[in-house]
Amino acid sequence: MWVSLLREWYDAIKEAQNVERVEEIRIAVFGKKGVLAVEFAKMKSASDEEKSKIAQDLNTHKSALMNELTQRKIVLQTLELEANMRAEAIDVSMYSSRSESGALHPVMETMDRIVEYFSSMNFAVKTGTMVEDDFNNFEALNLPKYHPARDMQDTFYFKDEMLLRTHTSPVQIRTMMSTKPPIRMIAPGAVFRRDYDITHTPMFHQVEGLLVDAQGKVSFANLKFILEDFLKYMFGDVDVRFRPSFFPFTEPSAEVDISCVFCKGKGCRVCSKTGWLEVLGCGIVDPNVFEAVKYENVSGYAFGLGVERFAMLIHHIGDLRSLFEGDIKLLEQFQ
Ligand code: PHE
């Protein structure tokens, strides 16, 4: 009678579908008021002879049931673990079109390429300060006070003749004041002017270049060679031309044009139908500059360019201001 009563618990264990059910069964069979406790209690009324037989049987079933229960629990736990792992699995090979990665801003990327070229030509990279004094930014560059050429670079002033630098040329002065010739340097960095239209922003970036030869043997031909080579490195197969121009700190001075990258020199809206695009200013260092930094019997060339303008021409960007709007949709195109 009691054996068949226990029989159903063997079936219950086999049929249990989860760990909670196994626990319920354990309490129902082995608990204080469980089936086994009840059966053992019933023994009291049996004869001594029966007692030992019943006890033996009950104990056999007790350990057999416990064994079944433990086995079933292990099986169910394993199944549950596997199910959980399947549910939480991450497919590392899955391609997600939404994954977003950062990239260099086109201005920085362009600046890096410029630096890369001149580094390969043995030019050292120098940095000045964005807040400059009047001497470095103007005076030593042959731009005396009240000289009308200062108007071209009207800018933001602090008191005590301090200002946000209008160009990277003061780094020429800083470098010459702190080192002896020869010098081969470039100076990339931010500059500031009071301008705002489709080709100007109040903050933009320039790369300055300066070469000073201690033997005084630098010529315009050296300048022409390196700039032509550099512009072909940046823009590919373009024509380069030098136009006479004026900068207070170089003499002679030139502006350098490349054949229009949009229309290949045929004439379009971007190049105002001229077929040419102006890309940098340069010249032979004016003797007054060397005098200001107390250099004697030297010669040199200098050049300066706007990085945003280069980035616009390389990436065919129409409005310079869009480079500073932080518009991810626009910037993503240049990754
Ligand atoms: N500093 C000049 C500018 O900002 C560029 C330049 C640099 C020209 C060096 C000649 C030599 O316009």
Side-chain angles (χ1 to χ4, degrees):
M1 156 72 188
W2 55 266
V3 174
S4 77
L5 198 122
L6 288 175
R7 176 82 255 158
E8 68 190 57
W9 290 107
Y10 283 99
D11 294 340
I13 292 170
K14 267 195 208 98
E15 283 156 21
Q17 291 305 314
N18 53 50
V19 179
E20 288 74 38
R21 176 71 188 136
V22 173
E23 181 59 13
E24 270 172 34
I25 296 171
R26 190 188 65 76
I27 292 164
V29 177
F30 297 93
K32 266 192 205 138
K33 292 175 188 156
V35 193
L36 282 171
V38 172
E39 291 301 321
F40 275 111
K42 277 187 198 161
M43 257 172 30
K44 281 182 196 145
S45 51
S47 67
D48 280 354
E49 194 189 326
E50 278 174 333
K51 246 187 216 167
S52 80
K53 190 181 172 326
I54 294 170
Q56 212 179 5
D57 271 0
L58 279 176
N59 278 324
T60 310
H61 284 296
K62 189 180 170 180
S63 59
L65 278 166
M66 185 49 101
N67 195 30
E68 294 286 313
L69 207 66
T70 315
Q71 292 302 324
R72 187 67 190 150
K73 194 172 171 185
I74 292 170
V75 169
L76 288 170
Q77 272 175 339
T78 311
L79 287 174
E80 276 175 29
L81 184 69
E82 280 170 0
N84 281 344
M85 280 179 18
R86 243 178 283 119
E88 289 169 12
I90 296 166
D91 181 355
V92 290
S93 68
M94 194 168 86
Y95 173 73
S96 164
S97 57
R98 297 260 329 127
S99 76
E100 284 164 24
S101 60
L104 276 183
H105 190 277
V107 172
M108 290 302 135
E109 181 221 35
T110 305
M111 190 132 96
D112 282 358
R113 276 190 62 200
I114 298 169
V115 171
E116 198 175 274
Y117 174 84
F118 285 104
S119 297
S120 79
M121 292 295 187
N122 251 341
F123 281 68
V125 178
K126 302 279 180 191
T127 47
T129 56
M130 292 186 205
V131 177
E132 261 300 357
D133 60 26
D134 190 87
F135 177 79
N136 287 331
N137 196 84
F138 291 130
E139 201 82 33
L141 288 161
N142 201 25
L143 270 150
K145 276 201 184 59
Y146 313 116
H147 192 289
R150 281 198 182 198
D151 290 352
M152 293 193 301
Q153 303 195 1
D154 204 5
T155 192
F156 305 97
Y157 285 89
F158 300 95
K159 55 181 191 188
D160 302 329
E161 306 215 322
M162 299 296 282
L163 59 136
L164 289 178
R165 66 179 178 194
T166 60
H167 49 180
T168 41
S169 302
V171 188
Q172 292 188 32
I173 305 302
R174 284 176 174 271
T175 308
M176 288 191 283
M177 300 280 271
S178 60
T179 33
K180 287 200 182 94
I183 288 173
R184 242 173 208 262
M185 58 141 263
I186 53 164
V191 301
F192 306 84
R193 284 183 207 179
R194 251 196 45 191
D195 290 327
Y196 193 60
D197 59 43
I198 66 165
T199 51
H200 298 88
T201 49
M203 188 280 303
F204 62 104
H205 298 83
Q206 287 190 332
V207 176
E208 189 80 11
L210 172 71
L211 181 140
V212 180
D213 177 49
Q215 271 90 51
K217 284 189 184 150
V218 169
S219 74
F220 205 94
N222 300 135
L223 174 63
K224 229 182 142 200
F225 171 82
I226 195 156
L227 290 181
E228 273 179 13
D229 192 52
F230 162 63
L231 291 169
K232 287 190 173 19
Y233 174 83
M234 294 301 290
F235 296 104
D237 191 20
V238 287
D239 292 330
V240 178
R241 82 173 178 188
F242 287 69
R243 254 184 311 110
S245 183
F246 170 77
F247 296 103
F249 30 91
T250 47
E251 182 63 36
S253 304
E255 257 158 349
V256 183
D257 300 338
I258 56 168
S259 51
C260 180
V261 292
F262 294 91
C263 63
K264 306 267 177 276
K266 286 194 202 75
C268 67
R269 197 178 54 84
V270 183
C271 59
S272 313
K273 305 243 182 304
T274 62
W276 295 96
L277 296 163
E278 183 197 320
V279 289
L280 55 81
C282 65
I284 296 297
V285 179
D286 192 291
N288 287 347
V289 174
F290 287 138
E291 200 179 305
V293 298
K294 304 191 171 57
Y295 270 19
E296 279 169 10
N297 306 319
V298 296
S299 66
Y301 62 66
F303 56 87
L305 62 90
V307 183
E308 279 77 5
R309 178 145 177 83
F310 272 56
M312 283 174 78
L313 296 177
I314 290 168
H315 295 295
H316 292 207
I317 299 166
D319 185 340
L320 189 140
R321 292 171 296 192
S322 59
L323 286 170
F324 298 111
E325 276 162 7
D327 180 350
I328 299 289
K329 280 209 182 89
L330 177 109
L331 296 173
E332 266 176 352
Q333 301 170 47
F334 312 122
Q335 277 189 28

